[in-house]
Amino acid sequence: MMPRRPSSVFSRRSRQRGRVLLVVAVALVAFLQAHAADRDDLQGNAEQEYAGKPLILRNFYDGGHLYYDLDGNLLKGGSRGAWTLYAYIDVEHVKLRGAKLEIDGTRNYLVYNQEAKRFERRRGSRVKIEAAINPNAVGSYALQILMRKLFLAPNEDLADYVPPYWKRFLTHADRPGTASQQDELLNGERIYRIKGQAGDVNPPIPIHTPEPRYTEAARDARYQAVAVFWITVDPQGDVAEVNLVKPVGLGLDDQAAATLKTWKFKPATKNGKPVPVRVMVETSFRLR
């Protein structure tokens, strides 16, 4: 028979295991408390940094509830829309919940005041944003990186992210003396500008000119306005280029630009030969 160990040996080892477990438990509690305190501090800093400020949402997604992955890619909840409706968000609350970041806010709809030559904001729809975060790497820097994936940074220019027909307006490229006022080419051919008297160029004749659709936001606001564009009509009578001159906002400019690209003309001619021309056109939004 094996000799029996004294009971005192077992009790001593039990006490040692108990002390180890107690130390581990105390350390775990301290870690969890410190982790919770860090998250509280991080959320407080996030609220202070972002709440109450207008941020510009990347890609101008519509929808009332947007879901993003760890890399800032939209998973579901919306599709790319007009920036005058979906770019600006007034952030109200920023929360860290487990493995996700939650942002509550209100969209700012933009209306362009043509007399004052500036955009004015109108309170729009509510929006909630949820983005996955790595629970093992939550910190101020990681949160800042995620926010930059969702929103434009202060040093980024909105004009770099809008559709092409907005760029000239936002960069003031149509001011007198700028490059856009000089001769331009379309597939190697000079583009003639037609404004007022056409001179020796016969202007294009409209054949198919459907009207643009109202956006829901503009219709709800009973908003009526006239947007002005330069369009380039190529020698085949198709609209090759659209550029805004006077926008109206509320997503109507984007509806107008999409519709103008479907317009058809009998081409402009010079000495009997079809030539590309740039023509100023208006699109009216009137409620019937």
Side-chain angles (χ1 to χ4, degrees), residues 258-276:
T259 302
L260 286 171
K261 292 175 183 178
T262 70
W263 282 19
K264 299 288 290 185
F265 294 83
K266 182 179 178 181
T269 58
K270 179 178 172 64
N271 299 325
K273 177 187 174 183
V275 292

Side-chain angles (χ1 to χ4, degrees), residues 248-259:
V248 294
L250 291 185
L252 296 176
D253 310 287
D254 303 87
Q255 294 285 346
T259 302

Side-chain angles (χ1 to χ4, degrees), residues 184-192 234-236 273-276:
E184 295 183 86
L185 302 177
L186 179 67
N187 298 326
E189 292 188 73
R190 176 188 171 187
I191 300 174
Y192 295 90
D234 67 19
Q236 289 73 46
K273 177 187 174 183
V275 292

Side-chain angles (χ1 to χ4, degrees), residues 217-234:
R219 189 174 295 279
D220 289 345
R222 306 291 297 172
Y223 184 60
Q224 302 185 106
V226 177
V228 182
F229 293 81
W230 278 112
I231 64 171
T232 301
V233 181
D234 67 19

